[in-house]
Amino acid sequence: MGDTAGMDPQSATDQELVAHALEAPQAYRWIVERYSPRLLRYARRIGCRTEQDARDVLQETFIKAYINLRSYDADLSFSSWIYRICHNEAVSWFRKQRVRPQPASSDEELFALEEVADPRAFLEGIEQTLNRERLTKAMQAMREEYREVLVLRFFEEKSYDEIADILYKPPGTVATLINRAKKQLAEILQDSPL
Amino acid sequence: MNTHDFSQDILAKIEEQHLEPRPRWQVLVMRAAWWALACVCLVFGGLAFASVLFFAREQGWDAWVARPHLATVFELIPLLWIGAFVLLIALVYLDVRATRRGYRYPGALLVGGILVGSALLGTAVYGAGLEAKPHEFLRERLPGYESTVPDPPLVWHRPELGRYAGMILATTTEGFVLKDVEGDEWSVRVATSSRWLLPTPPAANVRLKTLCNQVSTTAQLILVEARPLYRAPRPVLERALDRRLRPESLREYQNEPRRFPKERTMPEMLRDNR
């Protein structure tokens, strides 16, 4: 019993977990366990080079999320809310460390095409034959703001509205950024040797 | 990564640092504070806009007609107020962007809305006849403001451009004697082509601003156009002008026999205006 009070944490909604964590702090671990794997991958995709760096960012993310748990409102999806905190913490971390956000080249799993939910949309305008190594190198070489939106759209499977909520930008701007990001990706792939 | 261990680490850190979720009332106060700040900046933006209208109306439009040039705009509408307006608009924009849903509005729409809001507010202040109040308030209370943003008559007064502001000391058969805001006296001839746009005919103690042509190198002017010094009564600003015009000199003038002002050469006038 303890931190669940009869609730099944696996099937509970995010809002139910939040409400429960506010009553019983130990229940916060269910939120951490639900989101830590995907946020870890997200942090690495947007530029944390090592797993340790990503864990540091993640720790700050969950601490901050806990402190601000009462500011979460149900009109925003919890996923978008916590992704936003993770994004902001990653950006702060890069600034503090004075490093350029760049995903590690060694981890080709981060940008495996198999991870993309809608590969046709992702590859529209880009060559259809793409191996992991080329894609990873191309994603590394992209501008940060373009890589961010591509990661959120195609690897994290977020909608335009969710990306707008995460990045604190108007939805129209998100659409423009995604178009530009795909153009840049196509150019980088065209210039890179096969 | 072992998610269970990681979550235990997080909980341990929360307990170790005695962390707690921020109270809901604090969250609501912070949200309200952003909106309150945006509203305050919008109101001040409206006052800045009203001040811009005040300066534009008091002298800008007339001077623009006399010399339509972009430089005239910046000469006659103080950069301080234009800068304040732009800065306040930027602050409102940033405040709204920082609110819960403010980021969703397209930038151009947001800026346009803020500009329209400020302009409407400023126009309402102007319509209520309060457009000079911000300038008067700062003039009386902020050290250094007066030297940075002179009153409209002082800005209008540019003898080298044929613009004179001041007070009629006395009327003459040909026109009147004008004492300008710098203390110089001029004999002004009213010609048949002169435009007199004041509600009353020339008389002593009337305050006005003029466009004149200078006769050769003398202190004689031919009136082109005369307008009231202010569009509406401005007691605070006119009291400040009184200190410059020193009305006791009017009484001195009336008590002494009429004499023609001393003629000054152009080099003397240019030297004194420097």
Side-chain angles (χ1 to χ4, degrees):
Chain A
M1 211 262 295
D3 53 9
T4 55
M7 184 184 68
D8 176 16
Q10 305 303 326
S11 59
T13 63
D14 289 334
Q15 283 77 9
E16 285 168 349
L17 288 181
V18 167
H20 201 60
L22 286 169
E23 290 168 16
Q26 290 299 317
Y28 186 62
R29 75 180 176 96
W30 299 113
I31 294 176
V32 177
E33 287 183 16
R34 179 175 285 190
Y35 279 96
S36 52
R38 49 179 125 162
L39 287 180
L40 185 76
R41 226 174 21 243
Y42 173 62
R44 295 213 57 204
R45 281 172 174 155
I46 60 171
C48 292
R49 289 182 196 232
T50 66
E51 175 137 336
Q52 187 53 49
D53 291 346
R55 282 174 67 108
D56 290 343
V57 166
L58 219 57
Q59 192 167 70
E60 291 303 314
T61 298
F62 283 113
I63 297 289
K64 190 157 260 186
Y66 183 72
I67 292 169
N68 290 293
L69 208 54
R70 287 206 172 91
S71 73
Y72 167 67
D73 286 314
D75 60 348
L76 188 69
S77 78
F78 184 80
S79 168
S80 299
W81 186 76
I82 202 156
Y83 263 80
R84 178 196 288 174
I85 297 175
C86 184
H87 170 264
N88 293 342
E89 286 305 311
V91 168
S92 296
W93 190 87
F94 299 139
R95 279 198 199 124
K96 272 189 222 159
Q97 302 295 322
R98 297 187 188 199
V99 294
R100 191 176 157 258
Q102 193 167 44
S105 54
S106 55
D107 196 343
E108 292 167 4
E109 297 295 324
L110 284 178
F111 299 113
L113 213 49
E114 295 80 19
E115 298 277 318
V116 176
D118 189 357
R120 272 173 73 180
F122 178 59
L123 294 174
E124 193 186 350
I126 301 169
E127 58 185 86
Q128 299 297 314
T129 53
L130 205 59
N131 62 36
R132 284 186 189 188
E133 189 190 343
R134 281 190 75 215
L135 181 56
T136 303
K137 285 200 160 91
M139 293 294 285
Q140 269 188 312
M142 289 187 74
R143 265 174 70 165
E144 291 127 45
E145 57 176 343
Y146 291 165
R147 182 170 56 241
E148 270 174 6
V149 290
L150 279 192
V151 162
L152 283 167
R153 178 80 186 106
F154 295 107
F155 292 92
E156 304 294 328
E157 300 168 45
K158 299 295 179 193
S159 67
Y160 281 54
D161 279 347
E162 286 173 320
I163 298 173
D165 292 334
I166 292 166
L167 298 181
Y168 242 75
K169 289 184 182 345
T173 305
V174 169
T176 304
L177 283 173
I178 290 174
N179 283 340
R180 289 183 188 161
K182 287 179 70 182
K183 276 195 187 117
Q184 191 185 59
L185 183 64
E187 282 163 12
I188 293 170
L189 286 167
Q190 205 169 16
D191 293 342
S192 72
L194 282 167
Chain B
M1 180 178 81
N2 185 316
T3 55
H4 178 76
D5 291 344
F6 183 71
S7 67
Q8 292 303 318
D9 289 343
I10 298 289
L11 290 180
K13 198 157 186 179
I14 288 171
E15 203 175 311
E16 179 193 313
Q17 294 182 16
H18 306 292
L19 297 174
E20 276 180 8
R22 195 171 277 149
R24 182 75 180 165
W25 68 263
Q26 254 188 45
V27 171
L28 295 174
V29 164
M30 277 166 61
R31 283 182 191 167
W34 279 116
W35 279 111
L37 190 63
C39 289
V40 165
C41 289
L42 192 71
V43 167
F44 279 109
L47 291 177
F49 188 79
S51 292
V52 167
L53 286 181
F54 165 65
F55 283 98
R57 182 76 173 150
E58 284 298 336
Q59 63 211 16
W61 182 248
D62 303 330
W64 174 263
V65 168
R67 190 168 78 118
H69 195 275
L70 186 60
T72 307
V73 174
F74 292 107
E75 176 201 321
L76 296 167
I77 301 176
L79 270 180
L80 183 90
W81 284 110
I82 297 176
F85 179 64
V86 170
L87 178 69
L88 288 161
I89 295 300
L91 284 174
V92 177
Y93 175 83
L94 292 172
D95 287 339
V96 173
R97 274 273 186 249
T99 57
R100 211 150 61 95
R101 303 301 264 171
Y103 62 91
R104 288 194 145 259
Y105 307 121
L109 192 68
L110 194 54
V111 170
I114 294 166
L115 278 172
V116 167
S118 267
L120 282 175
L121 209 60
T123 307
V125 169
Y126 182 84
L130 302 171
E131 69 277 16
K133 292 294 179 195
H135 172 68
E136 289 172 2
F137 180 86
L138 291 177
R139 190 193 191 291
E140 300 293 298
R141 287 170 179 78
L142 187 66
Y145 176 83
E146 191 184 343
S147 54
T148 312
V149 185
D151 289 335
L154 296 173
V155 180
W156 175 265
H157 185 71
R158 291 277 298 275
E160 69 274 19
L161 295 176
R163 302 198 314 238
Y164 300 80
M167 182 179 76
I168 295 177
L169 281 183
T171 53
T172 65
T173 49
E174 289 181 325
F176 53 87
V177 177
L178 174 76
K179 180 166 188 167
D180 70 25
V181 292
E182 300 289 315
D184 293 324
E185 293 172 16
W186 304 86
S187 170
V188 182
R189 187 156 66 85
V190 180
T192 46
S193 58
S194 303
R195 288 192 299 280
W196 186 261
L197 299 172
L198 283 89
T200 54
N205 213 26
V206 167
R207 284 118 195 273
L208 70 173
K209 58 189 180 195
T210 63
L211 275 172
C212 296
N213 292 324
Q214 193 160 16
V215 176
S216 183
T217 58
T218 65
Q220 290 186 340
L221 306 172
I222 298 175
L223 182 72
V224 174
E225 188 178 279
R227 286 174 178 271
L229 199 62
Y230 290 105
R231 297 275 171 171
R234 307 283 180 205
V236 172
L237 297 179
E238 296 208 48
R239 274 199 299 275
L241 194 61
D242 283 343
R243 293 194 283 276
R244 272 186 173 263
L245 293 175
R246 294 192 296 277
E248 62 273 11
S249 66
L250 170 63
R251 291 193 289 277
E252 287 167 15
Y253 193 87
Q254 285 176 330
N255 289 339
E256 289 176 10
R258 180 186 164 281
R259 61 176 186 278
F260 204 84
K262 176 183 156 240
E263 284 189 61
R264 292 151 73 220
T265 63
M266 183 60 82
E268 282 174 351
M269 283 190 285
L270 286 174
R271 182 198 64 215
D272 292 348
N273 281 340
R274 225 177 288 133

